[in-house]
Amino acid sequence: MTCHYLRKRGKPLANDEQKNRSPRNWPKLLGWTVVPVLLLAAWQISAVHLQQPWLFPPVSRVVEQLLHPLRQHYASGSLLMNTSVSLLRVLIGFALAAVVGIPLGVLMGSVRTIRGLIEPLVELLRPLCPIAWLPFAIAVFKLKTVPQLFGVRFSHTILDHLQLGMIFVLFWGGFFPILVNTLDGVMGVRRNYLLLAKTLGASRLQSFVHVCLPAAMPMILTGLRQGIATCWFVIIAAEMLPGSDSGIGYLLIYAADQSAMDIVIASMIIIGVVGALLSFIMRWMMHSAVIWQGKE
Amino acid sequence: MKLNDPDRPETKVALELRGVSKSYCSESGSLVQALDGVGLTVQEGEFVVLIGPTGCGKTTLLNIAAGLLAPDSGQVLLGKGLRQGDNIPCVFQHYTLFPWRTLLHNVTFGLEMRSIARHDRNDTARALIAKVGLSGFEGAYPHELSGGMRQRGAIAQALAIKPKLLLMDEPFGALDDYTRMELQQMLIDLWQESQITVLFVTHNIDEAVVMGDRVIVFSERPGKVIKKLQVKLSRPRRGLSQEFTKVLVELRQSLGGYVWPGE
């Protein structure tokens, strides 16, 4: 009935693409513009009225902090410096997790013996929150940094903030999502594709390189995306714990101790934005690497 | 195993199965016998169709011929110059092209495995893509192609490695009638032009009569050969002539008990 009515009025049934562009999508448009502005305005007005900036600072003060990312905050450094430290720690921990996790996942996925030997261990360690490793890591690595590994006591660069303990914990954060997804990806390769490759003359090694790996690639990239997101969660929590002396999580907890709620909120915004950016970059890389995903 | 020819040096056999049996474990754990003492011969250049009810072990037989499965007992003998995993490609019904490769790179796959120079293999592939009527789609991914186009691509992919024996497992089973007829004609043309040997599995009676020089009818599980039918119709065959209908009826009758139980 509805359909008939619409046809009579000469309205073509819009496909998804048209829907997105049509004015019918006004809720989404308002959601991105008017709603945030209203919220910020409400925040600003109530904060100015309340006059308790140590508890509820006005937007303007938070924005002011964000506009001065190089300002030194007491002994804890600037927003930019601390964000860079956190990001660098995450990238190194994540890279290590990928370098170990992907090959191990591929190996476990293709060699039954290795999978049998390692899988129980993985299942036991995986549910353990990576943060739980921190006390152990600090006890083992003390406050040793990456330059000290190479015999340099103080490099007087950002590298002095790369404590081995932090990287160890980040490693565990990224390792399991990467390992488990890679394993699933390699084990989930459709047998038909392997048979097809075989009849077309591929050797076992060629099947592995030209069929297993590309077929598992979407899952490997999913693992990387989950891994880097977990690392970013983990680093913030780890930096908020005792034993840390830098990083955006450290700045956040330090500013909270000083009742500098504007810096706390500015840090929160940065954490959110960096997390979203990391996710966006990974998604973009995935999109161009596996345009065929889900379209078999 | 190579086919020994001392008994019949004059015949040119591409593939011979002798008493091939195969059982496998079903998911529920019970032993299922898929093939029971199957014997058949495919001559060089012949177009042989295997037909039978679903689940009669036709696919198992094809996989054994392709070297993807080993028979429990019996022998698989290959003619001179035929090697499994070298020049006996198989075109399946689904998952025929690698979804992460473009059409061009799907067709070059077999040549890439043989380390043929990029330039040469791309040339070969482009010519074959033109031959199956897909010119202009070289850069398309399989998900951008229709079902019929994918099967055309799969045929080009198989032909790229210069097959001696082409195995086809219900390649047109998922296509609509119109596309199916187009592809049947294309395959026959390609076959007549290149004189490769084709072993073609189907459960479509009409298709069997349109395509086959010889039709081999399988029984229900465990699969056994119950009839071998020579189709002596001139090509191109279309299903309106009296002769065609006669063959069709003959084949229907031999399949009768399976197609219409109780008849």
Side-chain angles (χ1 to χ4, degrees), chain A residues 190 196 200-201 206 292 295, chain B residues 85 95-96 99-100 113-114 143:
Chain A
R190 265 184 206 291
L196 181 62
L200 290 172
Q206 284 175 326
W292 57 276
K295 296 175 188 161
Chain B
Y95 311 111
T96 50
W100 52 87
M113 298 305 109
R114 290 159 176 75
H143 70 260

Side-chain angles (χ1 to χ4, degrees), chain B residues 104 108 111 117-130:
Chain B
L104 182 73
T108 58
L111 302 174
R118 180 184 298 268
H119 188 78
D120 295 341
R121 63 183 192 236
N122 284 355
D123 283 352
T124 310
R126 282 205 184 85
L128 278 167
I129 287 170

Side-chain angles (χ1 to χ4, degrees), chain A residues 190 192-193 195-202 206 210-211 214-215 291-292 295-296, chain B residues 67-68 85 89-90 95-101 109-110 112-114 141 143 157:
Chain A
R190 265 184 206 291
N192 296 58
Y193 294 136
L195 297 183
L196 181 62
K198 198 174 169 189
T199 63
L200 290 172
Q206 284 175 326
H210 295 284
V211 180
I291 45 176
W292 57 276
K295 296 175 188 161
E296 278 178 74
Chain B
L68 300 172
C90 191
Y95 311 111
T96 50
L97 297 171
F98 301 111
W100 52 87
R101 286 175 166 249
F109 184 87
E112 206 178 318
M113 298 305 109
R114 290 159 176 75
Y141 283 88
H143 70 260
Q157 186 185 50

Side-chain angles (χ1 to χ4, degrees), chain A residues 80-100:
Chain A
L80 184 69
M81 176 63 186
N82 282 300
T83 308
S84 313
V85 167
S86 298
L87 205 54
L88 194 61
R89 284 172 177 161
V90 161
L91 290 180
I92 290 176
F94 168 73
L96 273 178
V99 163
V100 180

Side-chain angles (χ1 to χ4, degrees), chain A residues 69-143:
Chain A
L70 292 170
R71 185 183 288 165
Q72 295 292 320
H73 299 291
Y74 323 104
S76 58
S78 65
L79 278 171
L80 184 69
M81 176 63 186
N82 282 300
T83 308
S84 313
V85 167
S86 298
L87 205 54
L88 194 61
R89 284 172 177 161
V90 161
L91 290 180
I92 290 176
F94 168 73
L96 273 178
V99 163
V100 180
I102 295 175
L104 188 62
V106 168
L107 206 62
M108 283 174 71
S110 30
V111 186
R112 210 150 145 200
T113 320
I114 296 179
R115 180 163 76 247
L117 287 172
I118 299 180
E119 205 163 25
L121 200 63
V122 169
E123 289 309 315
L124 277 175
L125 288 178
R126 191 156 72 104
L128 182 59
C129 172
I131 295 294
W133 284 101
L134 194 63
F136 170 77
I138 289 175
V140 171
F141 296 109
K142 309 290 186 296
L143 292 174

